[in-house]
Amino acid sequence: VGYFGYDWHTDKEGNALASGVPLSTNEIKKEFVTSCKFDDCILNRSPEGDEPFVKYIDKDGTSHVVWFEDENSVAKKKEMLRSKGILEMGDWAYSYF
């Protein structure tokens, strides 16, 4: 489990147009969760893994989606692993500075 995410440029159907830009969880919370300065900034959760994601449109009119992990999605993954008999797992953080 990684405590980071990626900001993807997307087309109108939500398909990635280029490689995602890595962001730390702290950067994501600051830029998109606590407050968001972009147009149409919407925080959602995937129904399968409860991963949070933010869709937004930047100042140039480009659509984006930012996928990341948080405490809820990690807890759901840990619960699934325990149900399969896996009792330990690792996690890491990417660039918290």
Side-chain angles (χ1 to χ4, degrees), residues 38-92:
F38 299 104
D39 291 336
D40 298 327
C41 195
I42 302 167
L43 176 64
N44 294 294
R45 288 192 171 275
S46 71
E48 300 86 14
D50 205 29
E51 293 97 352
F53 64 96
V54 175
K55 291 184 177 184
Y56 73 95
I57 299 173
D58 69 19
K59 61 180 172 51
D60 297 324
T62 303
S63 296
H64 293 254
V65 63
V66 178
W67 285 91
F68 59 102
E69 297 283 356
D70 69 359
E71 296 82 8
N72 293 337
S73 62
V74 171
K76 187 159 186 164
K77 287 174 178 61
K78 286 181 178 180
E79 177 184 312
M80 186 275 301
L81 291 172
R82 283 187 195 109
S83 76
K84 305 286 184 188
I86 299 170
L87 304 177
E88 294 184 30
M89 62 179 279
D91 56 352
W92 68 94

Side-chain angles (χ1 to χ4, degrees), residues 27-39:
E27 290 172 315
I28 292 167
K29 286 181 179 179
K30 180 180 175 186
E31 293 293 321
F32 303 104
V33 177
T34 305
S35 66
C36 188
K37 63 183 177 201
F38 299 104
D39 291 336

